[in-house]
Amino acid sequence: MSMSHLSSQLLLCFVLFLSLIIPPAPVHAQSVSPADLFFNEVQTVYLINLERRAAGLAPLRWNQELTQSARAFAEDVVANQPASYCGHIDSAGRTPGERMRLAGYTKLAAWGENSVCGYTTPEAAVRAWMNSDLHRKNLLDSRYRELGVGYALSSVQRGYIAADLALDSSYAPVIIENEAPATTTRTVRLYIYDQATRAGFTGQGASVEMMIANDPDFTDAVWQPYAAETTWTLSEGDGWKRVYVKTRDALGRTTVAQDSIYLGASLPRAELTFAGASHFGVGFRLEQIDAGGWPQVQFSMDWVGDDSDPYFTVSGERFVDAAAIGGMAARLASGGNATVWSSGYLATLPATAYFRLKVSDNRATREVVRLRVIGTGGDVGVRVLRGVDFVAADSYQEFAVPYHPGSGATSITFRIDRLDAAEVVFDAVALYTAAVPVAAPLQWQAPENYWRSYGVQARFVDADGAFSSAVEVHPASGRLAAPGSPVVLPQLAVTPVNVQFEAMPDEAAPPPALLSVQCINCDDGPWQATTEITWLQLSATADAIQLALLPDGLAPGIYQGEVTVSAPATTGLAPVRVIVTAVIGDLGELLPQKVYLPTVVR
């Protein structure tokens, strides 16, 4: 119930008490075991869901924290309140909402509570509530997604029943057979809540696809169009069965939820536990990690920002791009930029931003893009990219920018600046927490100590800045495996990309210049360097090229040419061209000839 309905609910609860104080048959406390009370709680949840389904509403997920809240209140009433008490405030003066939060239901967007001031069967309790207008309204409130029922019965046959209903708007549960405790058939009905549509990096869009499995690793499961209601076949054999459902939105952000049910003719009441209930978590524990040699790992609760974000702006245009996340991208205008920002806990979280973008020219040695992470006080992370830093033209690539915004930050902004004539297209930026050593068991604590059905992604990293592709974490199985190959694709890096020699006629040659060459992840053969410059001599080692000027026979003047460094053809990498300039004679005397030297912006 809402707080505005508290006084009227108290009165109705008293009337309801009068209708239930004379049960049809005596109830002896010693004849009702704790297992029976636990079953009554679960059965009441199921019966409430049948009423909701009959009214065309979604069922509610049985929740551990709400059950503990309702149970503690019922036990408090029979132990500490006068025999005539019929209300919703416990002996410590706490409201239902306060009790739910204290029980651990920390994300409480809406709540309600019904009670029966006495002991009765689940069937009688639900029937009484449905016959009371305001109690019925509570049970049929479409806002709620979860429910807990608490039963208490004292040795003097005094009983109390409470039903706590609540909404955590970040949680999208799955429910088997309306939360029936058991089933005798393997084919069951599922109700799958849509992902809550929330804006920003921590939000999620409407579900577009889903997959279902009987195991937490989703072995052999396939994506299918999202549907709120479907059927599923449980694994063979009697016993407790669990079903896992994963949904994802248009940006690929996922939620993973589960529910359980007993398959068999006779439910073993003594085996009922909260293992089958939804609950709040502060993180997860990984017992096994196959890191594939990576020393560190980062995590993300699907924190992604792109052009669909309401806090996104661009100096340029948005356009349809099938290769982009979500199918849309943003093309930056000349000298333009794109920004997307967030606040809340992400504003103070040390993390790495992975910018996904592409450029039209990957042969340019000039700076073409600046990536910035801006905190409340200014830049907290900057990276400048040249065209040659991209593996290929017109192909999306991710670049990592680590940052630490500080504890006092209130917002965090991610900005991409176009610096050159080369066209720049921005797709998305994904955030991952600061790296931690790979060591199992690994206990990961979620920001704000809140983690429920959020999908979790991991990236493996090393000290040199290399990183793996994103891999999905399956916390329920307690295992994590690195992807087969790193995201740092084959890349040819040559520095510097401009070399200049100066020599006077008839004097000794200047010292040789050295080019550093790295062909990262080029496993199919060595790189090679070639030139058509006749006044230059090349010699190479495994990771460097020595350039020696041969000035003999050169008349005074300014000479230019290229050295081409190529990766193995199988890598598909474009060659890197190094501009070599030789100045023979006095540069001041030669410049009036209006020979223009190349300019490099750094």
Side-chain angles (χ1 to χ4, degrees):
M1 69 178 178
S2 64
M3 291 300 296
S4 62
H5 290 159
L6 182 58
S7 59
S8 61
Q9 285 285 69
L10 290 172
L11 176 60
L12 280 169
C13 188
F14 178 70
V15 174
L16 184 59
F17 165 69
L18 290 178
S19 68
L20 297 175
I21 58 174
I22 306 176
V27 176
H28 299 286
Q30 60 270 25
S31 67
V32 183
S33 68
D36 291 332
L37 291 177
F38 203 158
F39 173 78
N40 285 349
E41 292 170 349
V42 177
Q43 183 70 2
T44 303
V45 171
Y46 171 57
L47 295 175
I48 289 172
N49 277 338
L50 293 184
E51 297 291 347
R52 288 177 64 90
R53 300 302 282 148
L57 298 173
L60 304 175
R61 180 75 167 94
W62 174 43
N63 175 263
Q64 177 177 340
E65 287 81 11
L66 294 178
T67 300
Q68 291 171 327
S69 171
R71 185 186 292 176
F73 174 56
E75 292 172 346
D76 174 69
V77 170
V78 300
N80 301 314
Q81 298 284 20
S84 61
Y85 180 82
C86 186
H88 295 274
I89 306 300
D90 68 10
S91 61
R94 293 173 296 211
T95 66
E98 291 172 325
R99 288 187 272 105
M100 293 177 203
R101 289 188 180 92
L102 286 172
Y105 202 98
T106 55
K107 297 287 187 178
L108 193 58
W111 61 265
E113 181 174 89
N114 281 358
S115 62
V116 173
C117 308
Y119 179 90
T120 189
T121 64
E123 291 77 11
V126 174
R127 183 169 60 249
W129 285 330
M130 292 299 292
N131 287 333
S132 166
D133 288 342
L134 282 182
H135 290 78
R136 175 188 174 92
K137 184 178 179 180
N138 248 357
L139 297 187
L140 302 185
D141 192 320
S142 62
R143 295 176 301 168
Y144 302 135
R145 291 189 175 190
E146 294 177 279
L147 169 66
V149 176
Y151 267 70
L153 182 62
S154 72
S155 59
V156 295
Q157 301 182 40
R158 182 184 177 195
Y160 211 85
I161 306 171
D164 285 351
L165 308 97
L167 168 67
D168 170 9
S169 57
S170 298
Y171 179 57
V174 57
I175 298 165
I176 305 174
E177 287 293 345
N178 300 315
E179 290 291 39
T183 180
T184 57
T185 62
R186 288 179 60 201
T187 300
V188 293
R189 293 168 295 174
L190 303 180
Y191 190 93
I192 304 165
Y193 272 84
D194 194 0
Q195 300 185 45
T197 52
R198 305 181 309 281
F201 276 87
T202 60
Q204 289 199 325
S207 299
V208 295
E209 290 184 300
M210 66 182 185
M211 63 168 58
I212 309 171
N214 290 321
D215 68 278
D217 291 324
F218 290 87
T219 305
D220 298 326
V222 295
W223 288 108
Q224 57 185 290
Y226 167 77
E229 299 187 60
T230 189
T231 58
W232 180 251
T233 303
L234 304 174
S235 60
E236 296 181 348
D238 288 359
W240 293 100
K241 305 296 180 181
R242 195 174 296 273
V243 177
Y244 301 84
V245 176
K246 183 191 307 182
T247 60
R248 67 181 178 189
D249 66 6
L251 296 185
R253 296 174 293 194
T254 61
T255 64
V256 180
Q258 57 182 284
D259 195 8
S260 63
I261 195 169
Y262 184 81
L263 174 60
S266 179
L267 173 71
R269 295 191 181 187
E271 295 181 11
L272 278 173
T273 69
F274 282 125
S278 66
H279 62 83
F280 278 64
V282 298
F284 55 81
R285 182 181 175 90
L286 298 174
E287 298 292 345
Q288 293 180 300
I289 303 177
D290 178 10
W294 293 95
Q296 295 182 306
V297 64
Q298 302 172 308
F299 297 100
S300 172
M301 296 199 314
D302 276 332
W303 298 311
V304 178
D306 79 336
D307 63 283
S308 66
D309 195 302
Y311 308 118
F312 173 86
T313 61
V314 62
S315 303
E317 63 171 346
R318 305 182 194 193
F319 67 101
V320 175
D321 187 350
I325 295 172
M328 292 287 293
R331 183 181 291 108
L332 276 59
S334 178
N337 64 75
T339 64
V340 60
W341 65 274
S342 184
S343 57
Y345 64 81
L346 288 181
T348 60
L349 185 70
T352 296
Y354 289 91
F355 291 83
R356 189 171 191 261
L357 63 157
K358 61 184 177 181
V359 295
S360 60
D361 181 7
N362 74 319
R363 296 176 58 183
T365 57
R366 301 175 303 279
E367 295 174 344
V368 296
V369 178
R370 181 186 297 113
L371 308 177
R372 299 173 61 192
V373 181
I374 308 168
T376 301
D379 287 341
V380 293
V382 177
R383 182 171 180 180
V384 178
L385 304 174
R386 303 172 302 164
V388 293
D389 292 327
F390 289 78
V391 171
D394 295 317
S395 179
Y396 283 114
Q397 187 172 336
E398 288 183 293
F399 295 91
V401 181
Y403 64 93
H404 196 308
S407 58
T410 57
S411 66
I412 194 77
T413 300
F414 306 92
R415 174 169 170 153
I416 306 94
D417 294 301
R418 178 177 171 181
L419 305 178
D420 189 68
E423 183 179 275
V424 177
V425 174
F426 168 68
D427 181 17
V429 58
L431 310 183
Y432 282 73
T433 58
V436 296
V438 172
L442 189 155
Q443 180 69 46
W444 186 71
Q445 201 86 353
E448 295 191 313
N449 292 325
Y450 172 83
W451 178 74
R452 300 197 72 187
S453 57
Y454 281 116
V456 180
Q457 307 293 321
R459 284 185 190 270
F460 292 87
V461 297
D462 67 17
D464 295 326
F467 56 92
S468 77
S469 59
V471 59
E472 190 166 16
V473 181
H474 297 294
S477 68
R479 295 187 297 273
L480 174 63
S485 58
V487 146
V488 181
L489 300 173
Q491 182 176 357
L492 186 61
V494 181
T495 54
V497 291
N498 285 271
V499 175
Q500 180 168 310
F501 293 104
E502 295 183 9
M504 297 301 292
D506 304 323
E507 291 187 0
L514 198 66
L515 301 180
S516 174
V517 181
Q518 283 186 300
C519 195
I520 303 168
N521 294 327
C522 298
D523 298 327
D524 298 325
W527 52 267
Q528 59 182 343
T530 59
T531 186
E532 295 182 357
I533 303 176
T534 59
W535 40 264
L536 194 67
Q537 183 180 63
L538 306 183
S539 58
T541 64
D543 57 2
I545 305 171
Q546 181 175 281
L547 309 182
L549 177 66
L550 304 175
D552 292 347
L554 292 180
I558 299 175
Y559 301 83
Q560 286 186 327
E562 290 185 352
V563 172
T564 301
V565 184
S566 303
T570 53
T571 65
L573 295 179
V576 175
R577 290 171 172 81
V578 179
I579 305 298
V580 181
T581 303
V583 179
I584 308 299
D586 187 294
L587 184 61
E589 296 178 359
L590 296 172
L591 283 178
Q593 299 176 21
K594 297 185 179 181
V595 177
Y596 295 96
L597 299 178
T599 300
V600 179
V601 180
R602 296 193 183 279

